[in-house]
Amino acid sequence: MKIMEFKHKDIYVKVHTPLIVTREVSDNKEELIYASVIDIDSRVQAVFAQFHHAKKSDDVSFWVRHAPRIGETNFDKTSKVVKPVGKYKHLSQREDETFVTGVIVNEQVLERKPEGYIIFAWDGDIEEKLFWAIDRNYETPMLYEWTPYLLNRLITNKNLVPLNVHDYTGDYSKLVVFELLVGEEVLDEYISSGLKNGEIVLTEDNRLKEVI
C-alpha cells in the first residue's frame, strides 16, 4: 500500500492507494490516468473535490510514497510525482463505518476522445479487450479473428502504447492498460492492407454480416 498525497498551493490531503495507472511523458513526469484510493470518508472526498477546483495541471501534483506501518522506521522514503491531465470522473463506496474506497478515472477510460481511448484488461487479455473496444467505439468493420494481426500492427507502429500500472499490493498482477492513439482512418488502412496481403482472411461468418 502507498500513500498518495495531494498538494495544490496551501491544500494538503493524503489517502492510501493500492493501485495507480499513469502515462509516462518524460523521465521524471507521469500523468494520472486512474487511481484507486481507500481512507476515511473526509480524506477521500477532499481529494475528489480538488478535481473540481484545480484548473491548471501545472499547479497540481500527487506525491506517491510508501505508507509506513506503526513503528516502521527502515523503509523506502523515495516518492513519485504524478500530475493530473484532462478531465476526470470519480466514484466512492463505503466499506464500513470507518473506511471509504474510491476511484479517480480519466474520461479517456470511460469513452472515446479525439486524443485517444484507453483500454483496461484486468485479466490481461488485451486481444479480447481491443476487439470489444473497436467493435463498440469505432466504425471500422472488425472480426475477432483479425485481432492478433491488428494488435501487432498497432503496437509495432506505436499506435497502441502501454501505460504504467503501479500495483502496490500485488492484487492486480494481471492488469495491463493500453492507449489507442488512432481513429478509423488508420484502422481501416490496416484492415484493408491485411486483406490484400493475405495476413487476414475474409470468410463467411454471421459476425461479419453484423459489422458491414
PDB file of all heavy atoms in Angstrom, residues 10-46:
ATOM      1  N   ASP A  10      -1.904  25.826  -0.919  1.00  0.00           N
ATOM      2  CA  ASP A  10      -1.865  25.580   0.526  1.00  0.00           C
ATOM      3  C   ASP A  10      -2.745  24.413   0.949  1.00  0.00           C
ATOM      4  O   ASP A  10      -2.986  24.194   2.135  1.00  0.00           O
ATOM      5  CB  ASP A  10      -2.283  26.842   1.287  1.00  0.00           C
ATOM      6  CG  ASP A  10      -3.691  27.300   0.922  1.00  0.00           C
ATOM      7  OD1 ASP A  10      -4.211  26.824  -0.105  1.00  0.00           O
ATOM      8  OD2 ASP A  10      -4.249  28.132   1.656  1.00  0.00           O
ATOM      9  N   ILE A  11      -3.224  23.608  -0.009  1.00  0.00           N
ATOM     10  CA  ILE A  11      -4.077  22.463   0.303  1.00  0.00           C
ATOM     11  C   ILE A  11      -3.226  21.202   0.387  1.00  0.00           C
ATOM     12  O   ILE A  11      -2.390  20.951  -0.477  1.00  0.00           O
ATOM     13  CB  ILE A  11      -5.161  22.288  -0.780  1.00  0.00           C
ATOM     14  CG1 ILE A  11      -6.045  23.530  -0.850  1.00  0.00           C
ATOM     15  CG2 ILE A  11      -6.005  21.049  -0.494  1.00  0.00           C
ATOM     16  CD1 ILE A  11      -7.009  23.521  -2.012  1.00  0.00           C
ATOM     17  N   TYR A  12      -3.442  20.424   1.427  1.00  0.00           N
ATOM     18  CA  TYR A  12      -2.695  19.170   1.591  1.00  0.00           C
ATOM     19  C   TYR A  12      -3.640  18.090   2.097  1.00  0.00           C
ATOM     20  O   TYR A  12      -4.284  18.255   3.143  1.00  0.00           O
ATOM     21  CB  TYR A  12      -1.540  19.351   2.567  1.00  0.00           C
ATOM     22  CG  TYR A  12      -0.835  18.068   2.906  1.00  0.00           C
ATOM     23  CD1 TYR A  12       0.085  17.514   2.030  1.00  0.00           C
ATOM     24  CD2 TYR A  12      -1.102  17.412   4.103  1.00  0.00           C
ATOM     25  CE1 TYR A  12       0.728  16.329   2.327  1.00  0.00           C
ATOM     26  CE2 TYR A  12      -0.458  16.227   4.413  1.00  0.00           C
ATOM     27  CZ  TYR A  12       0.449  15.681   3.527  1.00  0.00           C
ATOM     28  OH  TYR A  12       1.075  14.508   3.825  1.00  0.00           O
ATOM     29  N   VAL A  13      -3.753  17.005   1.346  1.00  0.00           N
ATOM     30  CA  VAL A  13      -4.587  15.866   1.731  1.00  0.00           C
ATOM     31  C   VAL A  13      -3.828  14.604   1.369  1.00  0.00           C
ATOM     32  O   VAL A  13      -3.133  14.563   0.349  1.00  0.00           O
ATOM     33  CB  VAL A  13      -5.943  15.872   0.979  1.00  0.00           C
ATOM     34  CG1 VAL A  13      -6.790  14.677   1.419  1.00  0.00           C
ATOM     35  CG2 VAL A  13      -6.694  17.167   1.213  1.00  0.00           C
ATOM     36  N   LYS A  14      -3.965  13.543   2.165  1.00  0.00           N
ATOM     37  CA  LYS A  14      -3.343  12.270   1.814  1.00  0.00           C
ATOM     38  C   LYS A  14      -4.338  11.131   2.005  1.00  0.00           C
ATOM     39  O   LYS A  14      -5.155  11.136   2.929  1.00  0.00           O
ATOM     40  CB  LYS A  14      -2.072  12.019   2.619  1.00  0.00           C
ATOM     41  CG  LYS A  14      -2.285  11.787   4.105  1.00  0.00           C
ATOM     42  CD  LYS A  14      -0.941  11.489   4.779  1.00  0.00           C
ATOM     43  CE  LYS A  14      -1.125  11.239   6.277  1.00  0.00           C
ATOM     44  NZ  LYS A  14       0.159  10.927   6.945  1.00  0.00           N
ATOM     45  N   VAL A  15      -4.264  10.165   1.073  1.00  0.00           N
ATOM     46  CA  VAL A  15      -5.100   8.970   1.135  1.00  0.00           C
ATOM     47  C   VAL A  15      -4.227   7.770   0.808  1.00  0.00           C
ATOM     48  O   VAL A  15      -3.153   7.911   0.215  1.00  0.00           O
ATOM     49  CB  VAL A  15      -6.278   9.037   0.134  1.00  0.00           C
ATOM     50  CG1 VAL A  15      -7.269  10.115   0.524  1.00  0.00           C
ATOM     51  CG2 VAL A  15      -5.780   9.254  -1.288  1.00  0.00           C
ATOM     52  N   HIS A  16      -4.672   6.592   1.181  1.00  0.00           N
ATOM     53  CA  HIS A  16      -3.960   5.370   0.821  1.00  0.00           C
ATOM     54  C   HIS A  16      -4.399   4.910  -0.564  1.00  0.00           C
ATOM     55  O   HIS A  16      -5.562   5.062  -0.934  1.00  0.00           O
ATOM     56  CB  HIS A  16      -4.227   4.271   1.852  1.00  0.00           C
ATOM     57  CG  HIS A  16      -3.556   4.514   3.164  1.00  0.00           C
ATOM     58  ND1 HIS A  16      -4.050   5.406   4.095  1.00  0.00           N
ATOM     59  CD2 HIS A  16      -2.424   3.989   3.704  1.00  0.00           C
ATOM     60  CE1 HIS A  16      -3.246   5.418   5.155  1.00  0.00           C
ATOM     61  NE2 HIS A  16      -2.254   4.564   4.939  1.00  0.00           N
ATOM     62  N   THR A  17      -3.466   4.359  -1.322  1.00  0.00           N
ATOM     63  CA  THR A  17      -3.790   3.876  -2.664  1.00  0.00           C
ATOM     64  C   THR A  17      -3.124   2.523  -2.924  1.00  0.00           C
ATOM     65  O   THR A  17      -1.922   2.376  -2.728  1.00  0.00           O
ATOM     66  CB  THR A  17      -3.357   4.880  -3.743  1.00  0.00           C
ATOM     67  OG1 THR A  17      -3.633   4.342  -5.038  1.00  0.00           O
ATOM     68  CG2 THR A  17      -1.877   5.224  -3.651  1.00  0.00           C
ATOM     69  N   PRO A  18      -3.897   1.525  -3.370  1.00  0.00           N
ATOM     70  CA  PRO A  18      -3.317   0.234  -3.738  1.00  0.00           C
ATOM     71  C   PRO A  18      -2.917   0.167  -5.204  1.00  0.00           C
ATOM     72  O   PRO A  18      -2.148  -0.707  -5.599  1.00  0.00           O
ATOM     73  CB  PRO A  18      -4.452  -0.752  -3.454  1.00  0.00           C
ATOM     74  CG  PRO A  18      -5.696   0.040  -3.693  1.00  0.00           C
ATOM     75  CD  PRO A  18      -5.371   1.454  -3.273  1.00  0.00           C
ATOM     76  N   LEU A  19      -3.437   1.103  -6.022  1.00  0.00           N
ATOM     77  CA  LEU A  19      -3.207   0.995  -7.465  1.00  0.00           C
ATOM     78  C   LEU A  19      -3.328   2.352  -8.135  1.00  0.00           C
ATOM     79  O   LEU A  19      -4.270   3.102  -7.881  1.00  0.00           O
ATOM     80  CB  LEU A  19      -4.256   0.057  -8.090  1.00  0.00           C
ATOM     81  CG  LEU A  19      -4.297  -0.020  -9.620  1.00  0.00           C
ATOM     82  CD1 LEU A  19      -3.065  -0.723 -10.168  1.00  0.00           C
ATOM     83  CD2 LEU A  19      -5.575  -0.723 -10.093  1.00  0.00           C
ATOM     84  N   ILE A  20      -2.350   2.684  -8.989  1.00  0.00           N
ATOM     85  CA  ILE A  20      -2.485   3.834  -9.874  1.00  0.00           C
ATOM     86  C   ILE A  20      -1.998   3.426 -11.267  1.00  0.00           C
ATOM     87  O   ILE A  20      -1.142   2.557 -11.410  1.00  0.00           O
ATOM     88  CB  ILE A  20      -1.718   5.085  -9.392  1.00  0.00           C
ATOM     89  CG1 ILE A  20      -0.207   4.837  -9.368  1.00  0.00           C
ATOM     90  CG2 ILE A  20      -2.213   5.560  -8.037  1.00  0.00           C
ATOM     91  CD1 ILE A  20       0.600   6.104  -9.107  1.00  0.00           C
ATOM     92  N   VAL A  21      -2.578   4.054 -12.272  1.00  0.00           N
ATOM     93  CA  VAL A  21      -2.162   3.870 -13.655  1.00  0.00           C
ATOM     94  C   VAL A  21      -1.765   5.231 -14.197  1.00  0.00           C
ATOM     95  O   VAL A  21      -2.499   6.208 -14.012  1.00  0.00           O
ATOM     96  CB  VAL A  21      -3.285   3.259 -14.510  1.00  0.00           C
ATOM     97  CG1 VAL A  21      -2.852   3.138 -15.971  1.00  0.00           C
ATOM     98  CG2 VAL A  21      -3.694   1.895 -13.960  1.00  0.00           C
ATOM     99  N   THR A  22      -0.612   5.305 -14.840  1.00  0.00           N
ATOM    100  CA  THR A  22      -0.112   6.587 -15.307  1.00  0.00           C
ATOM    101  C   THR A  22       0.363   6.510 -16.755  1.00  0.00           C
ATOM    102  O   THR A  22       0.673   5.440 -17.271  1.00  0.00           O
ATOM    103  CB  THR A  22       1.064   7.073 -14.443  1.00  0.00           C
ATOM    104  OG1 THR A  22       2.164   6.150 -14.572  1.00  0.00           O
ATOM    105  CG2 THR A  22       0.675   7.193 -12.982  1.00  0.00           C
ATOM    106  N   ARG A  23       0.440   7.668 -17.372  1.00  0.00           N
ATOM    107  CA  ARG A  23       1.037   7.814 -18.694  1.00  0.00           C
ATOM    108  C   ARG A  23       2.383   8.526 -18.511  1.00  0.00           C
ATOM    109  O   ARG A  23       2.442   9.617 -17.964  1.00  0.00           O
ATOM    110  CB  ARG A  23       0.132   8.639 -19.618  1.00  0.00           C
ATOM    111  CG  ARG A  23       0.739   8.922 -20.992  1.00  0.00           C
ATOM    112  CD  ARG A  23      -0.010  10.023 -21.725  1.00  0.00           C
ATOM    113  NE  ARG A  23      -1.376   9.624 -22.065  1.00  0.00           N
ATOM    114  CZ  ARG A  23      -2.467  10.224 -21.589  1.00  0.00           C
ATOM    115  NH1 ARG A  23      -2.351  11.232 -20.720  1.00  0.00           N
ATOM    116  NH2 ARG A  23      -3.673   9.830 -21.970  1.00  0.00           N
ATOM    117  N   GLU A  24       3.464   7.899 -18.976  1.00  0.00           N
ATOM    118  CA  GLU A  24       4.782   8.499 -18.834  1.00  0.00           C
ATOM    119  C   GLU A  24       5.031   9.455 -19.992  1.00  0.00           C
ATOM    120  O   GLU A  24       4.965   9.068 -21.156  1.00  0.00           O
ATOM    121  CB  GLU A  24       5.864   7.426 -18.812  1.00  0.00           C
ATOM    122  CG  GLU A  24       7.247   7.960 -18.472  1.00  0.00           C
ATOM    123  CD  GLU A  24       8.258   6.852 -18.199  1.00  0.00           C
ATOM    124  OE1 GLU A  24       7.808   5.739 -17.853  1.00  0.00           O
ATOM    125  OE2 GLU A  24       9.450   7.120 -18.339  1.00  0.00           O
ATOM    126  N   VAL A  25       5.323  10.713 -19.679  1.00  0.00           N
ATOM    127  CA  VAL A  25       5.563  11.712 -20.714  1.00  0.00           C
ATOM    128  C   VAL A  25       7.012  12.175 -20.754  1.00  0.00           C
ATOM    129  O   VAL A  25       7.443  12.797 -21.718  1.00  0.00           O
ATOM    130  CB  VAL A  25       4.623  12.927 -20.530  1.00  0.00           C
ATOM    131  CG1 VAL A  25       3.193  12.528 -20.795  1.00  0.00           C
ATOM    132  CG2 VAL A  25       4.744  13.515 -19.132  1.00  0.00           C
ATOM    133  N   SER A  26       7.759  11.881 -19.717  1.00  0.00           N
ATOM    134  CA  SER A  26       9.195  12.156 -19.683  1.00  0.00           C
ATOM    135  C   SER A  26       9.801  11.314 -18.579  1.00  0.00           C
ATOM    136  O   SER A  26       9.101  10.589 -17.865  1.00  0.00           O
ATOM    137  CB  SER A  26       9.467  13.650 -19.441  1.00  0.00           C
ATOM    138  OG  SER A  26       9.050  14.034 -18.144  1.00  0.00           O
ATOM    139  N   ASP A  27      11.121  11.405 -18.413  1.00  0.00           N
ATOM    140  CA  ASP A  27      11.796  10.576 -17.412  1.00  0.00           C
ATOM    141  C   ASP A  27      11.333  10.877 -15.994  1.00  0.00           C
ATOM    142  O   ASP A  27      11.376  10.013 -15.126  1.00  0.00           O
ATOM    143  CB  ASP A  27      13.317  10.781 -17.503  1.00  0.00           C
ATOM    144  CG  ASP A  27      13.886  10.178 -18.782  1.00  0.00           C
ATOM    145  OD1 ASP A  27      13.214   9.301 -19.366  1.00  0.00           O
ATOM    146  OD2 ASP A  27      14.989  10.596 -19.192  1.00  0.00           O
ATOM    147  N   ASN A  28      10.900  12.092 -15.745  1.00  0.00           N
ATOM    148  CA  ASN A  28      10.528  12.459 -14.375  1.00  0.00           C
ATOM    149  C   ASN A  28       9.094  12.981 -14.265  1.00  0.00           C
ATOM    150  O   ASN A  28       8.754  13.653 -13.311  1.00  0.00           O
ATOM    151  CB  ASN A  28      11.496  13.515 -13.824  1.00  0.00           C
ATOM    152  CG  ASN A  28      11.542  14.757 -14.691  1.00  0.00           C
ATOM    153  OD1 ASN A  28      10.873  14.829 -15.721  1.00  0.00           O
ATOM    154  ND2 ASN A  28      12.318  15.744 -14.274  1.00  0.00           N
ATOM    155  N   LYS A  29       8.263  12.699 -15.271  1.00  0.00           N
ATOM    156  CA  LYS A  29       6.883  13.165 -15.219  1.00  0.00           C
ATOM    157  C   LYS A  29       5.932  12.068 -15.681  1.00  0.00           C
ATOM    158  O   LYS A  29       6.104  11.499 -16.754  1.00  0.00           O
ATOM    159  CB  LYS A  29       6.696  14.410 -16.084  1.00  0.00           C
ATOM    160  CG  LYS A  29       5.280  14.984 -16.020  1.00  0.00           C
ATOM    161  CD  LYS A  29       5.144  16.237 -16.858  1.00  0.00           C
ATOM    162  CE  LYS A  29       3.716  16.789 -16.787  1.00  0.00           C
ATOM    163  NZ  LYS A  29       3.553  17.997 -17.623  1.00  0.00           N
ATOM    164  N   GLU A  30       4.927  11.796 -14.856  1.00  0.00           N
ATOM    165  CA  GLU A  30       3.877  10.854 -15.205  1.00  0.00           C
ATOM    166  C   GLU A  30       2.527  11.523 -14.996  1.00  0.00           C
ATOM    167  O   GLU A  30       2.342  12.298 -14.052  1.00  0.00           O
ATOM    168  CB  GLU A  30       3.982   9.579 -14.360  1.00  0.00           C
ATOM    169  CG  GLU A  30       5.249   8.777 -14.629  1.00  0.00           C
ATOM    170  CD  GLU A  30       5.288   7.482 -13.839  1.00  0.00           C
ATOM    171  OE1 GLU A  30       4.275   6.745 -13.857  1.00  0.00           O
ATOM    172  OE2 GLU A  30       6.307   7.203 -13.199  1.00  0.00           O
ATOM    173  N   GLU A  31       1.587  11.218 -15.882  1.00  0.00           N
ATOM    174  CA  GLU A  31       0.257  11.799 -15.803  1.00  0.00           C
ATOM    175  C   GLU A  31      -0.728  10.766 -15.271  1.00  0.00           C
ATOM    176  O   GLU A  31      -0.692   9.606 -15.663  1.00  0.00           O
ATOM    177  CB  GLU A  31      -0.184  12.297 -17.180  1.00  0.00           C
ATOM    178  CG  GLU A  31       0.697  13.420 -17.706  1.00  0.00           C
ATOM    179  CD  GLU A  31       0.355  13.814 -19.129  1.00  0.00           C
ATOM    180  OE1 GLU A  31      -0.312  13.020 -19.831  1.00  0.00           O
ATOM    181  OE2 GLU A  31       0.761  14.915 -19.546  1.00  0.00           O
ATOM    182  N   LEU A  32      -1.611  11.188 -14.391  1.00  0.00           N
ATOM    183  CA  LEU A  32      -2.549  10.277 -13.746  1.00  0.00           C
ATOM    184  C   LEU A  32      -3.666   9.863 -14.702  1.00  0.00           C
ATOM    185  O   LEU A  32      -4.333  10.712 -15.300  1.00  0.00           O
ATOM    186  CB  LEU A  32      -3.155  10.936 -12.505  1.00  0.00           C
ATOM    187  CG  LEU A  32      -4.122  10.067 -11.698  1.00  0.00           C
ATOM    188  CD1 LEU A  32      -3.370   8.914 -11.055  1.00  0.00           C
ATOM    189  CD2 LEU A  32      -4.844  10.896 -10.644  1.00  0.00           C
ATOM    190  N   ILE A  33      -3.867   8.563 -14.857  1.00  0.00           N
ATOM    191  CA  ILE A  33      -4.951   8.016 -15.661  1.00  0.00           C
ATOM    192  C   ILE A  33      -6.033   7.423 -14.770  1.00  0.00           C
ATOM    193  O   ILE A  33      -7.224   7.612 -15.002  1.00  0.00           O
ATOM    194  CB  ILE A  33      -4.420   6.936 -16.628  1.00  0.00           C
ATOM    195  CG1 ILE A  33      -3.377   7.529 -17.587  1.00  0.00           C
ATOM    196  CG2 ILE A  33      -5.570   6.294 -17.405  1.00  0.00           C
ATOM    197  CD1 ILE A  33      -3.905   8.658 -18.456  1.00  0.00           C
ATOM    198  N   TYR A  34      -5.602   6.706 -13.745  1.00  0.00           N
ATOM    199  CA  TYR A  34      -6.545   6.014 -12.871  1.00  0.00           C
ATOM    200  C   TYR A  34      -5.918   5.862 -11.490  1.00  0.00           C
ATOM    201  O   TYR A  34      -4.716   5.608 -11.385  1.00  0.00           O
ATOM    202  CB  TYR A  34      -6.851   4.633 -13.459  1.00  0.00           C
ATOM    203  CG  TYR A  34      -7.729   3.735 -12.607  1.00  0.00           C
ATOM    204  CD1 TYR A  34      -9.085   3.637 -12.850  1.00  0.00           C
ATOM    205  CD2 TYR A  34      -7.186   2.962 -11.576  1.00  0.00           C
ATOM    206  CE1 TYR A  34      -9.896   2.798 -12.087  1.00  0.00           C
ATOM    207  CE2 TYR A  34      -7.980   2.132 -10.807  1.00  0.00           C
ATOM    208  CZ  TYR A  34      -9.335   2.054 -11.067  1.00  0.00           C
ATOM    209  OH  TYR A  34     -10.125   1.228 -10.307  1.00  0.00           O
ATOM    210  N   ALA A  35      -6.724   6.018 -10.462  1.00  0.00           N
ATOM    211  CA  ALA A  35      -6.240   5.777  -9.102  1.00  0.00           C
ATOM    212  C   ALA A  35      -7.349   5.145  -8.282  1.00  0.00           C
ATOM    213  O   ALA A  35      -8.508   5.566  -8.345  1.00  0.00           O
ATOM    214  CB  ALA A  35      -5.783   7.071  -8.440  1.00  0.00           C
ATOM    215  N   SER A  36      -6.987   4.117  -7.540  1.00  0.00           N
ATOM    216  CA  SER A  36      -7.880   3.517  -6.560  1.00  0.00           C
ATOM    217  C   SER A  36      -7.424   3.988  -5.190  1.00  0.00           C
ATOM    218  O   SER A  36      -6.230   3.922  -4.885  1.00  0.00           O
ATOM    219  CB  SER A  36      -7.811   1.990  -6.656  1.00  0.00           C
ATOM    220  OG  SER A  36      -8.564   1.389  -5.620  1.00  0.00           O
ATOM    221  N   VAL A  37      -8.344   4.486  -4.370  1.00  0.00           N
ATOM    222  CA  VAL A  37      -7.965   5.032  -3.068  1.00  0.00           C
ATOM    223  C   VAL A  37      -8.838   4.421  -1.978  1.00  0.00           C
ATOM    224  O   VAL A  37      -9.963   3.985  -2.224  1.00  0.00           O
ATOM    225  CB  VAL A  37      -8.091   6.573  -3.037  1.00  0.00           C
ATOM    226  CG1 VAL A  37      -7.184   7.199  -4.075  1.00  0.00           C
ATOM    227  CG2 VAL A  37      -9.527   7.019  -3.270  1.00  0.00           C
ATOM    228  N   ILE A  38      -8.304   4.414  -0.759  1.00  0.00           N
ATOM    229  CA  ILE A  38      -9.066   3.965   0.402  1.00  0.00           C
ATOM    230  C   ILE A  38      -8.604   4.754   1.617  1.00  0.00           C
ATOM    231  O   ILE A  38      -7.396   4.913   1.853  1.00  0.00           O
ATOM    232  CB  ILE A  38      -8.910   2.445   0.643  1.00  0.00           C
ATOM    233  CG1 ILE A  38      -9.725   2.023   1.859  1.00  0.00           C
ATOM    234  CG2 ILE A  38      -7.451   2.046   0.777  1.00  0.00           C
ATOM    235  CD1 ILE A  38      -9.850   0.524   2.028  1.00  0.00           C
ATOM    236  N   ASP A  39      -9.571   5.293   2.348  1.00  0.00           N
ATOM    237  CA  ASP A  39      -9.239   6.067   3.548  1.00  0.00           C
ATOM    238  C   ASP A  39     -10.540   6.459   4.231  1.00  0.00           C
ATOM    239  O   ASP A  39     -11.614   5.999   3.832  1.00  0.00           O
ATOM    240  CB  ASP A  39      -8.399   7.300   3.200  1.00  0.00           C
ATOM    241  CG  ASP A  39      -7.305   7.553   4.230  1.00  0.00           C
ATOM    242  OD1 ASP A  39      -7.660   7.859   5.391  1.00  0.00           O
ATOM    243  OD2 ASP A  39      -6.118   7.422   3.900  1.00  0.00           O
ATOM    244  N   ILE A  40     -10.444   7.311   5.239  1.00  0.00           N
ATOM    245  CA  ILE A  40     -11.659   7.815   5.866  1.00  0.00           C
ATOM    246  C   ILE A  40     -12.390   8.709   4.867  1.00  0.00           C
ATOM    247  O   ILE A  40     -11.778   9.290   3.965  1.00  0.00           O
ATOM    248  CB  ILE A  40     -11.357   8.557   7.181  1.00  0.00           C
ATOM    249  CG1 ILE A  40     -10.450   9.765   6.924  1.00  0.00           C
ATOM    250  CG2 ILE A  40     -10.722   7.615   8.196  1.00  0.00           C
ATOM    251  CD1 ILE A  40     -10.224  10.624   8.161  1.00  0.00           C
ATOM    252  N   ASP A  41     -13.683   8.813   5.024  1.00  0.00           N
ATOM    253  CA  ASP A  41     -14.531   9.489   4.039  1.00  0.00           C
ATOM    254  C   ASP A  41     -14.091  10.925   3.777  1.00  0.00           C
ATOM    255  O   ASP A  41     -14.052  11.371   2.622  1.00  0.00           O
ATOM    256  CB  ASP A  41     -15.983   9.469   4.518  1.00  0.00           C
ATOM    257  CG  ASP A  41     -16.936  10.052   3.486  1.00  0.00           C
ATOM    258  OD1 ASP A  41     -16.865   9.643   2.318  1.00  0.00           O
ATOM    259  OD2 ASP A  41     -17.739  10.923   3.847  1.00  0.00           O
ATOM    260  N   SER A  42     -13.764  11.683   4.798  1.00  0.00           N
ATOM    261  CA  SER A  42     -13.421  13.096   4.615  1.00  0.00           C
ATOM    262  C   SER A  42     -12.185  13.265   3.743  1.00  0.00           C
ATOM    263  O   SER A  42     -12.113  14.188   2.921  1.00  0.00           O
ATOM    264  CB  SER A  42     -13.208  13.769   5.974  1.00  0.00           C
ATOM    265  OG  SER A  42     -12.153  13.147   6.698  1.00  0.00           O
ATOM    266  N   ARG A  43     -11.212  12.378   3.872  1.00  0.00           N
ATOM    267  CA  ARG A  43      -9.998  12.473   3.059  1.00  0.00           C
ATOM    268  C   ARG A  43     -10.286  12.118   1.604  1.00  0.00           C
ATOM    269  O   ARG A  43      -9.806  12.797   0.688  1.00  0.00           O
ATOM    270  CB  ARG A  43      -8.904  11.562   3.621  1.00  0.00           C
ATOM    271  CG  ARG A  43      -8.327  12.019   4.944  1.00  0.00           C
ATOM    272  CD  ARG A  43      -7.232  11.074   5.390  1.00  0.00           C
ATOM    273  NE  ARG A  43      -6.623  11.494   6.643  1.00  0.00           N
ATOM    274  CZ  ARG A  43      -5.663  10.811   7.262  1.00  0.00           C
ATOM    275  NH1 ARG A  43      -5.214   9.672   6.730  1.00  0.00           N
ATOM    276  NH2 ARG A  43      -5.167  11.251   8.401  1.00  0.00           N
ATOM    277  N   VAL A  44     -11.051  11.052   1.401  1.00  0.00           N
ATOM    278  CA  VAL A  44     -11.385  10.647   0.037  1.00  0.00           C
ATOM    279  C   VAL A  44     -12.172  11.751  -0.665  1.00  0.00           C
ATOM    280  O   VAL A  44     -11.882  12.120  -1.803  1.00  0.00           O
ATOM    281  CB  VAL A  44     -12.179   9.331   0.040  1.00  0.00           C
ATOM    282  CG1 VAL A  44     -12.705   9.018  -1.369  1.00  0.00           C
ATOM    283  CG2 VAL A  44     -11.311   8.193   0.546  1.00  0.00           C
ATOM    284  N   GLN A  45     -13.157  12.320   0.024  1.00  0.00           N
ATOM    285  CA  GLN A  45     -13.958  13.381  -0.577  1.00  0.00           C
ATOM    286  C   GLN A  45     -13.140  14.645  -0.799  1.00  0.00           C
ATOM    287  O   GLN A  45     -13.373  15.381  -1.771  1.00  0.00           O
ATOM    288  CB  GLN A  45     -15.179  13.698   0.301  1.00  0.00           C
ATOM    289  CG  GLN A  45     -16.128  12.531   0.498  1.00  0.00           C
ATOM    290  CD  GLN A  45     -16.625  11.929  -0.808  1.00  0.00           C
ATOM    291  OE1 GLN A  45     -16.847  12.642  -1.789  1.00  0.00           O
ATOM    292  NE2 GLN A  45     -16.795  10.599  -0.830  1.00  0.00           N
ATOM    293  N   ALA A  46     -12.163  14.891   0.054  1.00  0.00           N
ATOM    294  CA  ALA A  46     -11.306  16.069  -0.110  1.00  0.00           C
ATOM    295  C   ALA A  46     -10.451  15.947  -1.364  1.00  0.00           C
ATOM    296  O   ALA A  46     -10.236  16.928  -2.084  1.00  0.00           O
ATOM    297  CB  ALA A  46     -10.418  16.247   1.120  1.00  0.00           C
TER     298      ALA A  46
END
